[in-house]
Amino acid sequence: MNLINHYKNTTTQFGWITIIIHWLLAFVIIGLYFLGDYMMGLTYYDSFYSLAPKIHEALGVAVLLLMLFRVVWKKLNASPNPPTTNSNLINKTSKLAHLSLYLITFLILITGLLISFSGGQGLEIFDWFTIPGPAELFENQATLAGEVHRLTALALMVLVALHTLAALKHHLIDKDTTLKNMLGVKEK
């Protein structure tokens, strides 16, 4: 096995930029889910009460920027062809699952912004800069957006688990190169 040495995707292999963005987003998004869940149990007197939301928001903005870059990068690059052993149904299901991962991630990011911008406040990224917020767009914005944010984050974690199981199925049962491709390993 050789590690690939290209940065752009081809019809047979993901490039390093796609691979790095995939794994970086995976780890940060999963971490954000657990941080968000942990934050929900904090009280005013917890030492992490003020810092946790700032970390969550700053990483959320970073995910938004990476996701926007990822969409542009995906449009500018080829996509590896699916394994020839895949059925038409598997290929269609895979496309639907990936589209769902993107859409739910963007919905989480938008609702996160709506929470942060509620009341017309800006989103402060530590003490570095503030992203100005628009006026509140609807009544109970923080509460409603917060509930959608929580539910879609949970839905995303379910999809991530299914995505992981599908990758393992490809690797262990189908014995194709799907997982190796996203790990940057190319068969001789």
Side-chain angles (χ1 to χ4, degrees):
M1 289 186 251
N2 297 324
L3 288 179
I4 59 175
N5 59 7
H6 59 286
Y7 67 96
K8 289 185 80 171
N9 299 347
T10 67
T11 56
T12 59
Q13 186 71 46
F14 285 112
W16 277 113
I17 291 176
T18 299
I19 293 167
I20 290 168
I21 291 172
H22 174 272
W23 291 107
L24 183 60
L25 283 170
F27 289 120
V28 173
I29 288 171
I30 291 168
L32 279 170
Y33 175 80
F34 286 108
L35 177 59
D37 189 54
Y38 175 73
M39 284 174 13
M40 298 306 293
L42 293 176
T43 66
Y44 180 78
Y45 298 102
D46 287 305
S47 60
F48 203 42
Y49 180 80
S50 295
L51 183 58
K54 290 179 181 182
I55 293 170
H56 192 82
E57 291 171 341
L59 288 174
V61 169
V63 167
L64 176 60
L65 295 174
L66 269 174
M67 284 297 294
L68 292 171
F69 177 79
R70 183 177 188 156
V71 168
V72 170
W73 186 254
K74 187 171 176 58
K75 290 288 182 196
L76 296 175
N77 275 272
S79 289
N81 296 324
T84 55
T85 54
N86 278 7
S87 69
N88 212 16
L89 177 63
I90 293 289
N91 289 338
K92 287 181 181 179
T93 304
S94 175
K95 284 185 185 217
L96 179 62
H98 283 96
L99 178 63
S100 297
L101 285 166
Y102 278 78
L103 292 176
I104 290 174
T105 300
F106 277 114
L107 184 56
I108 293 166
L109 294 166
I110 290 166
T111 55
L113 288 173
L114 287 173
I115 296 165
S116 296
F117 291 151
S118 64
Q121 63 191 18
L123 173 57
E124 187 177 319
I125 305 299
F126 299 110
D127 291 328
W128 303 335
F129 61 92
T130 300
I131 301 170
E136 195 157 287
L137 301 173
F138 50 90
E139 194 174 325
N140 289 331
Q141 180 172 311
T143 303
L144 295 172
E147 188 61 15
V148 173
H149 189 74
R150 184 183 68 79
L151 292 172
T152 51
L154 182 58
L156 183 62
M157 290 302 103
V158 170
L159 271 176
V160 165
L162 292 172
H163 181 68
T164 303
L165 289 172
L168 290 173
K169 177 222 175 244
H170 277 285
H171 187 69
L172 300 172
I173 296 171
D174 300 342
K175 303 212 184 288
D176 63 35
T177 59
T178 301
L179 182 58
K180 287 179 181 177
N181 194 352
M182 191 45 80
L183 291 170
V185 177
K186 187 173 183 177
E187 291 290 318
K188 287 183 178 181

